[in-house]
Every structure is written in C-alpha cells, then in structure tokens.
Amino acid sequence: MTQIPDIRLNDGATIPQLGFGVFQIPPAETAKAVTEALELGYRHIDTAAIYGNEREVGEAIAASGIPRDQLYVTTKLWNADQGGGRATAAFEASVEKLGLEPDLYLIHWPTPARDLYVESWRALERLQADGRVRSIGVSNFQPAHLRRLLQETQVVPAVNQIELHPYLQQKELRAFHAEHGIVTEAWSPLAQGELLDDPALQRIAQAHGKTTAQVVLRWHVQIGNVVFPKSVTPSRIAENAAIFDFALSDAELHAIDQLDRDHRTGFHPDEMEIA
Ligand code: NAD
C-alpha cells in the first residue's frame, strides 16, 4: 500500500487520513477483519462502545505486534453514558476492553433533548488534561451543538465525525469546520454501498481504471476528509486502500459536487434521542 497521508489536528496530533471502520462487524468476525486490515497496511481503526467489538479490536491489535505508536485507535462514548461521572466510567470501560488508551475519544451523538453533551464534553476535556487521551472530538454534531461547545467550554473539538458522501456532502458543516479548525471525518463514506451504481461515478471510475468505491474514497481524500470504509471482504479491504496512486481532475471533482442530494443512509442527529 502507498503511504497513507496524515492530517494534522487542532491539538497538534496527527491522524492517518484512511482508516478501517468496524461498525456492524459482529464480534466473532472482528479480530479477523482487523487483522486483515492491519496486514494490508491500515494503521487506523474506528470503533465505538456501542459496536460491541472493542475487545476484539484490541485482541487483533495486540496479536499484530505492531508498535502502539504506529497505530491510531478511535472509540466513542455511547448516549446512555453521557454525563460527567458516567462518561469517565465509560471511557475506563472502553480502555479495559481495548487493552489500550485510544488516540481519539468522541461523543457519539449530541442527543440534544437530554442536554448532557456540554457536561460530557467537560469530562472529555478532563480526560485529555489528565493525559488519558491525546485527542477529543464529537460525532453527529450540528452547527448549533458545536457553537454551544465553542461558547461554553475550553477545548475546540479536534474532529466532528458525520455522515458524508457524494449524496450528502454536508457543505454547511464542512464550512463551519474549516472556519473553526475542526477536521471532518466522513462516516458511511460509501453511503453503505448505495452509490456504487451511480452512472456519473462509474464513468469517472472507468476513465481511471478504478472501481466506483475507489473514486468515492479518492474524492473524500481530495476534499480533506478522514475516511474509514468498512468491509469484511479481503479484496475490498485492499481495494479501499488503493486510492493514493491516482487523482481526480477539477472537472471530475466538479461533476461529483453536482451529485449532492441530501440523502442519508443513517439517522439524522435530531432523530437520535434514544439511549
Ligand atoms: P460504508 O460507507 O463504509 O459502507 C460499508 C458497506 O459498503 C460494506 O458493508 C460493503 O457492503 C460495502 N463496501 C465496502 N467496500 C466496498 C467496495 N470496495 N466495493 C463494494 N462495496 C463495498 O459504511 P459504514 O460501515 O456505515 O461506515 C464506515 C464506518 O464509519 C463504520 O464502520 C464506523 O466506523 C463509522 N460510522 C460511524 C457512525 C457514527 O455515528 N459516528 C455511524 C456509522 C458508521
């Protein structure tokens, strides 16, 4: 695999721009998939407490023998664990399962009706100040939620991890992130496979001798997103990493820009209020 570029975060740390996501990988299959990804050269794994596979991610990492400082691990605080003391305890539970301290810890959803995300963020700030985690960030935050953190707390989130792909380009949030030095992480970067039959993307793929998935991931990389596509199929895990040996032209980027259609594959942040 060609060298994966690093992106610098607003706290001075760096994050590999391409990682491997493990949402919906059953625990029994997780260690095998993560081992495959690590063997293929991935060094960044994105998990969450709610995925139920932190322990298996940790097992694969431990078995790989790859030095800890060459790996990047993200996990996330689940909604039911929001709040000051609960958040700290949930972090400790994730550390125990992973067998390591993550590089990046995120609030998974704002769940604004519960109004605990500011208090939870202060708990993450303390974890960072105590040296337990290098970087802290959020996920699925809308501009209003980010504004509250900016106004009421000390640390600007290093990242906001949001659903983002050519059918949901999140231009308003990306502009907000750029203005405040927040890196955009794109979840469901392939729209869970839904855009792989798009004719415009297929034409671009053909022109480069690449697959549609590779074109979409390359688009993410060229517009500055961090991505972590998920697959349990070894050939696809390899394919999704082979995106650093070609580049999309300005005309191709423009054509993809036109595909934006406000299409979500997952929950809207305002609808995710359940624990
Ligand atoms: P994704 O867009 O990565 O799509 C995954 C699906 O696309 C796979 O199940 C497979 O069917 C297909 N696929 C993958 N590679 C392919 C290829 N090369 N060719 C053809 N089909 C291919 O969707 P995702 O898994 O939802 O998102 C990726 C990661 O984002 C997750 O694993 C997780 O880490 C993260 N995520 C975070 C949140 C959040 O709320 N923060 C929500 C969803 C996902």
Side-chain angles (χ1 to χ4, degrees):
M1 183 192 293
T2 326
Q3 185 72 32
I4 296 172
D6 280 332
I7 299 243
R8 191 162 292 281
L9 303 175
N10 61 18
D11 58 13
T14 56
I15 182 169
Q17 197 175 8
L18 175 74
F20 184 66
V22 298
F23 175 47
Q24 289 175 330
I25 304 186
E29 292 174 43
T30 300
K32 184 170 174 285
V34 172
T35 300
E36 185 74 37
L38 294 175
E39 280 174 1
L40 284 164
Y42 288 79
R43 290 294 178 268
H44 165 185
I45 310 292
D46 183 90
T47 185
I50 195 66
Y51 300 170
N53 54 20
E54 288 172 307
R55 196 171 295 284
E56 292 74 14
V57 166
E59 279 168 16
I61 286 175
S64 75
I66 298 168
R68 176 69 187 92
D69 63 0
Q70 290 175 27
L71 289 164
Y72 196 93
V73 180
T74 299
T75 194
K76 312 183 191 94
L77 173 70
W78 185 238
N79 304 345
D81 294 322
Q82 280 206 37
R86 291 186 80 109
T88 310
F91 175 83
E92 298 303 345
S94 286
V95 168
E96 188 276 320
K97 290 196 178 99
L98 287 163
L100 51 81
E101 290 174 346
D103 299 276
L104 175 62
Y105 195 48
L106 307 182
I107 299 179
H108 205 145
W109 293 87
T111 61
R114 301 164 76 225
D115 198 20
L116 287 171
Y117 66 86
V118 173
E119 189 184 321
S120 302
W121 184 249
R122 293 202 180 102
L124 267 61
E125 287 182 324
R126 281 192 297 276
L127 288 166
Q128 185 183 45
D130 291 347
R132 301 299 311 282
V133 62
R134 180 70 174 85
S135 299
I136 54 175
V138 295
S139 179
N140 300 302
F141 273 44
Q142 302 278 69
H145 314 135
L146 291 170
R147 269 191 214 101
R148 261 196 84 190
L149 293 190
L150 295 177
Q151 281 161 11
E152 297 179 33
T153 70
Q154 301 301 312
V155 178
V156 178
V159 309
N160 187 16
Q161 182 178 127
I162 54 175
E163 180 176 351
L164 199 170
H165 42 71
Y167 289 172
L168 181 71
Q169 297 193 14
Q170 300 269 25
K171 288 173 184 165
E172 183 195 354
L173 261 172
R174 273 162 53 208
F176 188 97
H177 293 168
E179 192 186 331
H180 295 281
I182 299 167
V183 165
T184 302
E185 293 196 327
W187 65 253
S188 294
L190 302 171
Q192 299 201 345
E194 281 180 29
L195 41 62
L196 298 179
D197 294 330
D198 185 283
L201 295 172
Q202 283 178 334
R203 271 194 300 278
I204 297 172
Q206 229 167 8
H208 288 277
K210 289 284 182 179
T211 66
T212 318
Q214 288 172 321
V215 164
V216 173
L217 294 172
R218 179 71 208 178
W219 170 80
H220 281 287
V221 164
Q222 283 186 226
I223 67 169
N225 297 340
V226 173
V227 274
F228 22 80
K230 170 257 173 183
S231 176
V232 290
T233 310
S235 59
R236 286 176 173 174
I237 300 174
E239 177 186 324
N240 292 345
I243 56 168
F244 298 104
D245 57 355
F246 77 113
L248 301 172
S249 67
D250 287 345
E252 288 166 335
L253 291 172
H254 180 72
I256 297 174
D257 194 68
Q258 305 305 305
L259 301 178
D260 199 7
R261 61 193 64 171
D262 203 24
H263 173 75
R264 285 182 192 270
T265 63
F267 283 106
H268 188 286
D270 294 339
E271 290 158 12
M272 171 55 100
E273 289 298 344
I274 53 165

Coordinates of all heavy atoms in Angstrom, one line a residue, residues 21-23 46 51 76 108-109 139-140 161 187-193 196 213 228-231 236 239-240, ligand 1:
G21 N -13.2 1.0 9.4 CA -14.3 1.1 10.3 C -14.9 -0.3 10.6 O -14.9 -1.2 9.7
V22 N -15.4 -0.5 11.8 CA -15.8 -1.8 12.2 C -17.3 -1.8 12.7 O -17.7 -2.8 13.3 CB -14.9 -2.4 13.3 CG1 -13.5 -2.6 12.8 CG2 -14.9 -1.6 14.6
F23 N -18.1 -0.8 12.3 CA -19.5 -0.8 12.7 C -20.2 -1.9 11.9 O -19.9 -2.2 10.8 CB -20.1 0.5 12.2 CG -21.6 0.7 12.3 CD1 -22.2 0.3 13.5 CD2 -22.3 1.2 11.3 CE1 -23.6 0.5 13.6 CE2 -23.7 1.4 11.4 CZ -24.3 1.0 12.6
D46 N -11.5 2.6 13.5 CA -12.5 3.4 14.1 C -13.6 2.4 14.7 O -14.3 1.7 14.0 CB -13.2 4.2 13.0 CG -14.3 5.1 13.6 OD1 -13.9 6.3 14.0 OD2 -15.4 4.7 13.7
Y51 N -20.7 -0.6 19.3 CA -20.5 -1.6 18.3 C -20.3 -3.0 18.9 O -20.4 -4.0 18.2 CB -19.3 -1.3 17.4 CG -19.3 0.0 16.6 CD1 -18.2 0.5 15.9 CD2 -20.5 0.8 16.6 CE1 -18.3 1.7 15.2 CE2 -20.6 2.0 15.9 CZ -19.5 2.5 15.2 OH -19.5 3.7 14.5
K76 N -15.8 5.6 21.0 CA -16.8 6.7 21.2 C -17.7 6.4 22.4 O -18.0 5.2 22.8 CB -17.7 6.7 20.0 CG -17.0 6.8 18.6 CD -17.9 6.9 17.4 CE -17.1 6.7 16.1 NZ -17.1 5.3 15.7
H108 N -20.5 10.2 20.8 CA -21.1 9.6 19.6 C -22.2 10.4 18.9 O -22.3 10.5 17.7 CB -21.5 8.2 20.0 CG -21.5 7.2 18.9 ND1 -21.2 5.9 19.0 CD2 -21.8 7.3 17.5 CE1 -21.3 5.2 17.9 NE2 -21.6 6.1 17.0
W109 N -23.1 10.9 19.7 CA -24.3 11.6 19.2 C -24.6 12.8 20.2 O -24.5 12.5 21.4 CB -25.6 10.8 19.1 CG -25.5 9.7 18.1 CD1 -25.0 8.4 18.2 CD2 -25.9 9.8 16.7 NE1 -25.1 7.7 17.1 CE2 -25.7 8.5 16.1 CE3 -26.5 10.8 15.9 CZ2 -26.0 8.3 14.8 CZ3 -26.8 10.5 14.6 CH2 -26.5 9.3 14.0
S139 N -19.2 13.6 17.3 CA -19.7 12.9 16.2 C -21.2 13.3 16.0 O -21.9 13.4 17.1 CB -19.6 11.4 16.3 OG -20.1 10.7 15.2
N140 N -21.6 13.5 14.8 CA -23.0 13.8 14.6 C -23.5 15.2 15.2 O -24.7 15.3 15.5 CB -23.9 12.7 15.0 CG -23.6 11.4 14.3 OD1 -23.6 11.3 13.1 ND2 -23.2 10.4 15.0
Q161 N -17.3 13.8 13.5 CA -17.5 12.6 12.6 C -18.9 12.6 12.2 O -19.8 12.4 13.0 CB -17.1 11.3 13.3 CG -17.2 10.1 12.5 CD -16.8 8.8 13.1 OE1 -17.5 7.8 13.2 NE2 -15.6 8.7 13.7
W187 N -18.4 9.5 8.0 CA -18.9 8.1 8.2 C -19.8 7.7 7.1 O -20.4 8.5 6.4 CB -19.4 7.9 9.6 CG -20.7 8.5 10.1 CD1 -20.7 9.5 11.1 CD2 -22.1 8.2 9.9 NE1 -22.0 9.8 11.4 CE2 -22.8 9.0 10.7 CE3 -22.7 7.2 9.1 CZ2 -24.2 8.9 10.8 CZ3 -24.1 7.2 9.1 CH2 -24.8 8.0 9.9
S188 N -19.9 6.3 6.9 CA -20.6 5.8 5.7 C -20.1 6.5 4.5 O -20.8 7.0 3.7 CB -22.1 5.9 5.8 OG -22.6 5.0 6.9
P189 N -18.7 6.5 4.3 CA -18.2 7.2 3.1 C -18.6 6.7 1.8 O -18.6 7.5 0.8 CB -16.7 7.1 3.3 CG -16.5 5.8 4.1 CD -17.7 5.8 5.0
L190 N -19.1 5.4 1.8 CA -19.6 4.9 0.5 C -21.1 4.8 0.5 O -21.7 4.1 -0.3 CB -19.0 3.4 0.3 CG -17.5 3.3 0.3 CD1 -17.1 1.8 0.3 CD2 -16.9 4.0 -0.9
A191 N -21.8 5.6 1.4 CA -23.2 5.5 1.6 C -23.7 4.0 1.8 O -24.7 3.6 1.2 CB -23.9 6.2 0.5
Q192 N -22.9 3.3 2.5 CA -23.1 1.9 2.7 C -23.3 1.1 1.4 O -24.1 0.1 1.3 CB -24.3 1.7 3.6 CG -24.0 2.3 5.0 CD -24.9 1.7 6.1 OE1 -25.9 1.1 5.9 NE2 -24.5 2.0 7.4
G193 N -22.6 1.6 0.4 CA -22.7 0.9 -0.9 C -23.7 1.4 -1.9 O -23.8 1.0 -3.1
L196 N -22.8 3.0 -5.4 CA -21.8 2.4 -6.3 C -22.3 2.1 -7.7 O -21.5 1.9 -8.6 CB -21.3 1.0 -5.6 CG -20.6 1.2 -4.3 CD1 -20.2 -0.1 -3.6 CD2 -19.4 2.2 -4.4
A213 N -16.0 2.6 -5.9 CA -15.7 2.8 -4.4 C -14.4 3.5 -4.3 O -14.3 4.5 -3.5 CB -15.6 1.4 -3.7
F228 N -13.0 6.0 6.9 CA -12.7 4.6 7.3 C -13.8 3.7 6.8 O -14.7 3.3 7.6 CB -12.6 4.6 8.9 CG -13.3 5.7 9.5 CD1 -14.7 5.7 9.7 CD2 -12.6 6.9 9.9 CE1 -15.3 6.8 10.3 CE2 -13.2 8.0 10.5 CZ -14.6 7.9 10.7
P229 N -13.7 3.3 5.5 CA -14.7 2.4 5.0 C -14.6 1.1 5.7 O -13.6 0.7 6.2 CB -14.2 2.3 3.5 CG -12.8 2.6 3.5 CD -12.6 3.7 4.6
K230 N -15.8 0.4 5.7 CA -15.9 -0.9 6.4 C -16.1 -2.0 5.3 O -16.9 -1.8 4.4 CB -17.1 -0.8 7.3 CG -17.5 -2.2 7.9 CD -18.8 -2.7 7.3 CE -19.1 -4.1 7.7 NZ -20.3 -4.6 7.0
S231 N -15.5 -3.1 5.5 CA -15.7 -4.3 4.7 C -15.2 -5.5 5.4 O -14.2 -5.3 6.2 CB -15.1 -4.2 3.3 OG -15.3 -5.4 2.6
R236 N -11.9 -6.3 -1.0 CA -12.4 -4.9 -0.8 C -11.7 -4.1 0.2 O -11.5 -2.9 0.0 CB -13.9 -5.0 -0.4 CG -14.8 -5.4 -1.6 CD -16.3 -5.5 -1.1 NE -17.2 -5.7 -2.2 CZ -18.5 -5.9 -2.0 NH1 -19.0 -5.9 -0.7 NH2 -19.3 -6.1 -3.0
E239 N -8.8 -3.1 -1.9 CA -9.3 -2.1 -2.9 C -9.5 -0.7 -2.3 O -9.1 0.3 -2.9 CB -10.6 -2.7 -3.5 CG -11.3 -1.8 -4.5 CD -12.7 -2.4 -4.8 OE1 -12.8 -3.6 -4.9 OE2 -13.6 -1.6 -5.1
N240 N -10.1 -0.7 -1.1 CA -10.4 0.6 -0.5 C -9.2 1.4 -0.1 O -9.3 2.6 0.2 CB -11.3 0.4 0.7 CG -12.7 -0.1 0.3 OD1 -13.1 0.0 -0.9 ND2 -13.5 -0.6 1.2
Ligands
NAD1 P1 -19.5 2.4 4.4 O1 -20.0 3.5 3.5 O2 -18.1 2.2 4.7 O3 -20.1 1.1 3.6 C1 -19.8 -0.2 4.0 C2 -20.5 -1.2 3.1 O4 -20.2 -0.9 1.8 C3 -20.0 -2.6 3.3 O5 -20.8 -3.3 4.2 C4 -20.0 -3.2 2.0 O6 -21.3 -3.8 1.8 C5 -19.8 -2.1 1.1 N1 -18.4 -1.9 0.5 C6 -17.3 -1.6 1.2 N2 -16.3 -1.5 0.4 C7 -16.7 -1.9 -0.8 C8 -16.1 -2.0 -2.1 N3 -14.8 -1.7 -2.3 N4 -16.9 -2.3 -3.1 C9 -18.2 -2.6 -3.0 N5 -18.9 -2.5 -1.8 C10 -18.1 -2.1 -0.7 O7 -20.5 2.4 5.6 P2 -20.4 2.2 7.2 O8 -19.8 0.9 7.6 O9 -21.7 2.6 7.7 O10 -19.3 3.4 7.6 C11 -18.0 3.2 7.8 C12 -17.5 3.4 9.2 O11 -18.0 4.7 9.7 C13 -18.2 2.4 10.2 O12 -17.6 1.2 10.2 C14 -17.9 3.2 11.5 O13 -16.6 3.0 11.9 C15 -18.2 4.6 11.1 N6 -19.6 5.0 11.4 C16 -19.8 5.9 12.4 C17 -21.1 6.4 12.7 C18 -21.3 7.4 13.7 O14 -22.4 7.7 14.1 N7 -20.3 8.1 14.2 C19 -22.2 5.8 12.0 C20 -22.0 4.8 11.0 C21 -20.7 4.5 10.7

